[in-house]
Amino acid sequence: MDLRNEVFSHQEKLWILCIGQEVSKKPLSPLLDMVDWYNNQLLAKGLLKNQIPFEFGSKTLLATTGFLQVSRLLIFGIGDEENLNLTDAKNFLSEIDKALEGLGEISPWIIFSKETSSAFISEINKSRRHSERLSSASISVSVN
């Protein structure tokens, strides 16, 4: 599936874009960049102006511009993507679960960059079954 089709195939009301410190060194991963492009590059503009933090646990809620079928984008900072561990995965799931509860959302689409630790993502996939709000979430990793 190409990136455009993947973006427009998701009908979730909330998309969570997981952003780490690599955004300060490299362009956004292709899938994250595609979502941002269709949202008038609000993420990139916010990052350039240092309005969107990427430290682990930081959260920024963005409205969408209407080009996407999603209502809101939650930018979740994950810090150093390459060195995330199992403890970080449990903390991530706890923080996301609290955010979803606060927003009254279930089953988001969660997008990680290709730099994100594979052990971290594996733990997310394994442990999310313990959360009602996350058990049916869609998870994508930008690989290009």
Side-chain angles (χ1 to χ4, degrees), residues 4 7-8 33-40 65 67-68:
R4 184 179 185 284
V7 168
F8 285 98
D33 189 46
M34 178 71 69
V35 170
D36 191 38
W37 189 84
Y38 278 107
N39 200 43
N40 200 24
T65 58
F67 296 112
L68 298 171

Side-chain angles (χ1 to χ4, degrees), residues 17 19-20 23-24 28 33 36-37 39-55 58-63 65 73 75:
L17 311 180
I19 305 294
V23 299
S24 65
L28 291 171
D33 189 46
D36 191 38
W37 189 84
N39 200 43
N40 200 24
Q41 297 182 320
L42 293 179
L43 172 60
K45 291 172 187 174
L47 288 167
L48 285 172
K49 293 178 182 179
N50 292 320
Q51 295 171 329
I52 298 177
F54 48 84
E55 292 78 24
S58 63
K59 298 171 205 66
T60 306
L61 192 61
L62 295 178
T65 58
L73 298 174
I75 313 305

Side-chain angles (χ1 to χ4, degrees), residues 63-111:
T64 59
T65 58
F67 296 112
L68 298 171
Q69 65 275 21
V70 64
S71 304
R72 300 181 277 188
L73 298 174
L74 178 62
I75 313 305
F76 190 91
I78 57 172
D80 182 3
E81 301 103 322
E82 294 176 347
N83 294 313
L84 293 169
N85 58 41
L86 302 181
T87 302
D88 294 325
K90 291 184 187 322
N91 291 337
F92 172 85
L93 289 170
S94 175
E95 289 292 320
I96 291 295
D97 193 55
K98 288 179 204 171
L100 292 174
E101 181 179 21
L103 294 169
E105 296 284 354
I106 58 169
S107 302
W109 180 28
I110 304 171
I111 307 170

Side-chain angles (χ1 to χ4, degrees), residues 17-30:
L17 311 180
C18 299
I19 305 294
Q21 70 184 22
E22 287 298 315
V23 299
S24 65
K25 303 173 198 167
K26 299 178 184 177
L28 291 171
S29 292

Side-chain angles (χ1 to χ4, degrees), residues 27 30 46 72 104 106 121-122 128 131 134:
R72 300 181 277 188
I106 58 169
I121 293 172
S122 293
R128 70 188 172 107
S131 165
L134 291 167

